[in-house]
């Protein structure tokens, strides 16, 4: 999967896991592919993509390549194609990042220089930020959004963890059907369920509350799917041993499974947090007053000024992005990994 | 937490008390734990996804304006008849399909080309590029709407200053549609590039090496080996584009154009929302929503089927 994969051949060369490694994952015929991939992936830098099936054999190939040294990809490494590659990626990177840079540049100009076109704002000024904070209660909105996103992510992790555990630790009647029920939520668009959910929230008296934003989103197929795939790679023997030791399934979950899944849980948690932070449709329906979550406040600000207050708007937008970019700067690799992985599933 | 504690307690005491019961009951008890673990998530799904789905089906046969005090008036198949006949619905459906088609270059075509051109770039530079390319995925949609509104501003925006003559991007039909697609594409592109890159990295080099030994040119290798092996990833990205396009475009439309000018950017998802919360026609919104759901659901299932079929290439 993901981003570590472009480096994966190197990882394969360095320490191709012994063939025995993946055998632990092949406990069950139907899930052989998943299991095999997972089993190897946890050791080889998380290299398990969806396009790849028949995981076990792949490792042997990698290992083989390490010894035999068939060389790099086809055609070798010509400086020209490498230069072209750099050029393409550089252009793409600028195209992707420029609007964001421009937003921060505008927000940091002095209110008088807003229409400047220099890329680096000078002299710097936080006047726009101060102005934005006067117009809308940014601090309060950021706190609200943070609370909602955290609770949503935690709830989704918990329901996902329990459901994934049920799907992996037991074989039971109706398993496939129930699993499809979880995955099927992907297909049901929000626009079909919104009327009924809206009226239910109304009846529960949860409209215009942050709880009303959080509660309907407490379970996500993504969490169940990803955690289940991680759990499939977990050796069944360990679960069996814990059971024979007389541990209840509940304590096995928290003392054996969860500590081993910590990296996966952390990565998934971050993805869910960011998704919840960026969710707009549902909060905009539940919360009528505009100044409760950052995107709604921003939307109100944007509509209210008719686009003449660009300094303030860019400052508010910049603040709306800031927590996520902060998280991204610290955990860049993991976040990209987790997102691309979740996209592949 | 309280709900989740139940599985621990319940089976233990039941087994102690009811040991004398016939084996059938005990077997049922032993089968219970997985369902208890599933319960919280399942309850959530049933209450917030499947119950509303059923209710939407019921509601689609009524006329109702969302006010709890007003009665729901049964109208039979009227709503569905309107769905088929209303020109604005048909227009929005075409617009949605067109949007999805226009997004495919951003989510499938360009990423494939870019990934093929750049697959040799690794190491620190590769990590840096990936970090930058991925950034738009993380921007909250309304913030991106704001930053693009500023870039596209007809008087002072950078885009118009660069092309030299003012285009009123968000208030003219064509430009507004272009803008919505372009911004959504900007959100998607980096992510799709990374997904395709990951898919490429999963393709074993030995196939290409063997073909090269047999005298295949690089173009032949790309066309006949790499692309077929990459096809499941591409189908997956198509599926994602189909399923996510509504979710991705809604905040942009809501913040930038409100469906205008002259309904030029009112896609199906935005129209449903308007029916529901602007014209308060819950029955029609439900009927139209179900019709769209079935249409796009079928497309999605087709893509899933295609994905499964293509996935066995690497065996």
């Amino acid at each position: 999967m993901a981003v570590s994969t472009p480096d994966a051949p190197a990882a394969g060369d360095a320490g191709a896991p012994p063939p025995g490694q993946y055998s632990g994952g092949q406990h069950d015929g139907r899930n052989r592919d998943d299991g095999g991939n997972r089993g190897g992936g946890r050791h080889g830098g998380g290299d398990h993509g969806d396009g790849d099936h028949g995981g076990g054999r792949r490792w042997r190939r990698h290992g083989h390549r390490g010894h035999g040294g068939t060389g790099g990809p086809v055609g070798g490494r010509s400086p020209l194609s490498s230069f072209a590659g750099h050029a393409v990626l550089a252009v793409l990177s600028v195209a992707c990042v420029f609007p964001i840079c421009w937003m921060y540049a505008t927000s940091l100009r002095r209110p008088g220089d807003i229409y400047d076109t220099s890329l680096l704002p000078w002299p710097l000024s936080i006047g726009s930020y101060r102005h934005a904070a006067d117009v809308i209660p940014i601090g309060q909105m950021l706190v609200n959004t943070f609370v909602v996103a955290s609770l949503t992510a935690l709830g989704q992790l918990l329901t996902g963890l329990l459901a994934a555990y049920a799907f992996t630790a037991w074989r039971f009647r109706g398993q496939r059907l129930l699993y499809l029920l979880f995955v099927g939520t992907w297909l049901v668009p929000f626009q079909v369920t919104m009327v009924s959910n809206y009226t239910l929230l109304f009846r529960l008296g949860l409209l215009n509350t942050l709880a009303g934003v959080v509660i309907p989103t407490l379970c996500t197929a993504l969490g169940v799917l990803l955690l289940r795939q991680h759990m499939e790679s977990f050796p069944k023997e360990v679960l069996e041993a814990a059971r024979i030791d007389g541990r209840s399934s509940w304590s096995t979950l928290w003392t054996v499974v969860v500590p081993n899944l910590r990296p996966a849980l952390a990565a998934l948690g971050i993805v869910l947090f960011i998704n919840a932070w960026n969710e707009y449709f549902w909060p905009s329906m539940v919360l009528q007053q505009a100044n409760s979550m950052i995107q709604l406040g921003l939307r109100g600000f944007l509509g209210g000024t008719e686009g003449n207050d660009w300094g303030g708007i860019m400052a508010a937008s910049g603040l709306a992005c800031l927590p996520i970019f902060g998280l991204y700067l610290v955990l860049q690799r993991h976040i990209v990994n987790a997102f691309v992985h979740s996209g592949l599933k | 937490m309280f709900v989740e504690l139940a599985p621990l307690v319940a089976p233990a005491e039941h087994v102690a008390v009811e040991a004398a019961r016939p084996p059938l009951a005990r077997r049922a008890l032993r089968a219970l734990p997985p369902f208890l673990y599933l319960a919280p998530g399942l309850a959530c799904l049933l209450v917030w996804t499947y119950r509303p789905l059923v209710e939407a089906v019921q509601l689609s046969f009524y006329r109702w304006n969302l006010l709890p005090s007003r009665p729901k008036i049964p109208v039979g198949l009227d709503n569905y008849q309107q769905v088929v006949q209303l020109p604005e619905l048909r227009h929005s459906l075409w617009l949605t399909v067109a949007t999805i088609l226009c997004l495919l270059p951003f989510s499938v075509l360009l990423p494939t080309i870019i990934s093929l051109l750049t697959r040799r770039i690794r190491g620190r530079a590769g990590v840096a590029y990936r970090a930058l390319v991925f950034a738009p995925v993380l921007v909250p949609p309304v913030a991106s709407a704001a930053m693009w509104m500023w870039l596209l501003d007809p008087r002072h925006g950078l885009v118009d200053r660069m092309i030299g003559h003012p285009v009123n991007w968000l208030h003219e039909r064509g430009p507004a549609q272009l803008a919505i697609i372009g911004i959504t594409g900007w959100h998607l592109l980096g992510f799709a590039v990374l997904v395709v890159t990951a898919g490429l990295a999963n393709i074993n080099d030995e196939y290409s090496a063997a073909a090269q030994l047999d005298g295949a040119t690089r173009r032949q290798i790309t066309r006949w080996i790499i692309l077929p092996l990459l096809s499941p990833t591409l189908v997956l990205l198509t599926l994602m584009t189909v399923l996510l396009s509504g979710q991705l475009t809604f905040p942009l439309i809501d913040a930038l154009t409100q469906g205008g000018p002259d309904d030029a950017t009112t896609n199906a998802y935005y129209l449903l929302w308007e029916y529901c919360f602007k014209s308060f026609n819950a029955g029609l919104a439900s009927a139209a929503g179900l019709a769209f759901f079935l249409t796009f659901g079928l497309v999605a299932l087709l893509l899933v089927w295609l994905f499964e079929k293509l996935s066995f290439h690497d065996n």
Side-chain angles (χ1 to χ4, degrees), chain A residues 27 31 156-172 175 178-179 182 219-244 246-261 265 268, chain B residues 4-5 7-8 11 31-42:
Chain A
H27 35 76
N31 288 314
Q156 290 177 340
L157 267 187
L158 192 66
T159 54
L161 179 71
L162 294 173
Y165 186 53
F167 280 124
T168 35
W170 286 275
R171 295 273 165 266
F172 52 90
Q175 187 164 20
L178 285 173
Y179 190 63
F182 274 89
C219 182
T220 162
L222 180 67
V224 182
L225 243 74
L226 287 186
L227 286 175
R228 176 178 168 233
Q229 269 154 359
H230 279 283
M231 279 189 201
E232 292 281 2
S233 76
F234 195 71
K236 282 266 149 48
E237 294 78 14
V238 178
L239 293 184
E240 193 66 9
R243 198 180 63 82
I244 292 169
R247 273 179 208 245
S248 65
S249 60
W250 180 252
S251 92
T252 309
L253 172 64
W254 293 104
T255 58
V256 180
V257 177
V258 168
N260 279 294
L261 277 185
L265 284 170
L268 178 63
Chain B
E4 280 83 66
L5 278 170
L8 235 194
L32 198 60
F35 295 103
L36 290 172
Y37 282 101
L38 279 179
L42 210 57

Side-chain angles (χ1 to χ4, degrees), chain B residues 103-115 189 192 196 234 237:
Chain B
L103 283 176
L104 285 179
F106 289 99
S107 65
V108 179
L109 192 64
L110 274 176
T112 312
I113 296 170
I114 291 169
S115 311
L189 183 62
V196 178
L234 301 183
L237 280 172

Side-chain angles (χ1 to χ4, degrees), chain A residues 42 52 59 63 74 113 129 146 155 191 193 209 229 238 240 245 261 269 288 296 302 323 330:
Chain A
R42 272 151 46 92
D52 177 278
W59 285 115
V74 201
D113 309 339
Y129 286 87
F146 184 82
Q191 282 77 1
T193 56
T209 63
Q229 269 154 359
V238 178
E240 193 66 9
D245 278 355
L261 277 185
Q288 250 88 49
L296 301 183
L302 204 57
V330 181

Side-chain angles (χ1 to χ4, degrees), chain B residues 88-163:
Chain B
E88 57 196 40
L89 260 167
R90 211 171 310 150
H91 169 252
S92 76
L93 183 63
W94 281 124
L95 196 67
T96 313
V97 172
T99 309
I100 291 172
L101 288 179
C102 291
L103 283 176
L104 285 179
F106 289 99
S107 65
V108 179
L109 192 64
L110 274 176
T112 312
I113 296 170
I114 291 169
S115 311
L116 283 172
L117 283 175
T118 62
R119 69 185 130 144
R120 223 130 315 135
I121 291 170
R122 284 173 187 148
R124 196 160 294 187
V127 172
Y129 287 131
R130 285 198 295 271
L132 294 176
V133 162
F134 191 73
V137 179
L138 302 171
V139 177
V142 179
S144 97
M147 70 176 77
W148 280 100
M149 205 169 174
W150 166 221
L151 281 167
L152 297 173
D153 186 64
R155 266 183 308 155
H156 305 287
L158 206 60
V159 173
D160 278 3
R161 282 203 222 176
M162 265 171 14
I163 54 178

Side-chain angles (χ1 to χ4, degrees), chain A residues 118-182:
Chain A
S118 63
L119 191 56
L120 285 175
W122 197 262
L124 292 176
S125 147
I126 55 160
S128 296
Y129 286 87
R130 212 171 280 154
H131 167 63
D134 285 342
V135 180
I136 47 176
I138 287 190
Q140 184 59 45
M141 294 193 302
L142 284 174
V143 169
N144 283 349
T145 314
F146 184 82
V147 169
V148 166
S150 313
L151 289 178
T152 307
L154 278 177
Q156 290 177 340
L157 267 187
L158 192 66
T159 54
L161 179 71
L162 294 173
Y165 186 53
F167 280 124
T168 35
W170 286 275
R171 295 273 165 266
F172 52 90
R173 203 174 280 258
Q175 187 164 20
R176 249 186 109 71
L177 181 75
L178 285 173
Y179 190 63
L180 279 180
L181 216 55
F182 274 89

Side-chain angles (χ1 to χ4, degrees), chain B residues 72-93:
Chain B
K72 299 174 186 166
I73 307 156
V75 291
L77 286 169
D78 261 20
N79 287 325
Y80 286 99
Q81 210 169 356
Q82 268 186 301
V83 169
V84 182
Q85 283 167 351
L86 275 179
E88 57 196 40
L89 260 167
R90 211 171 310 150
H91 169 252
S92 76
L93 183 63

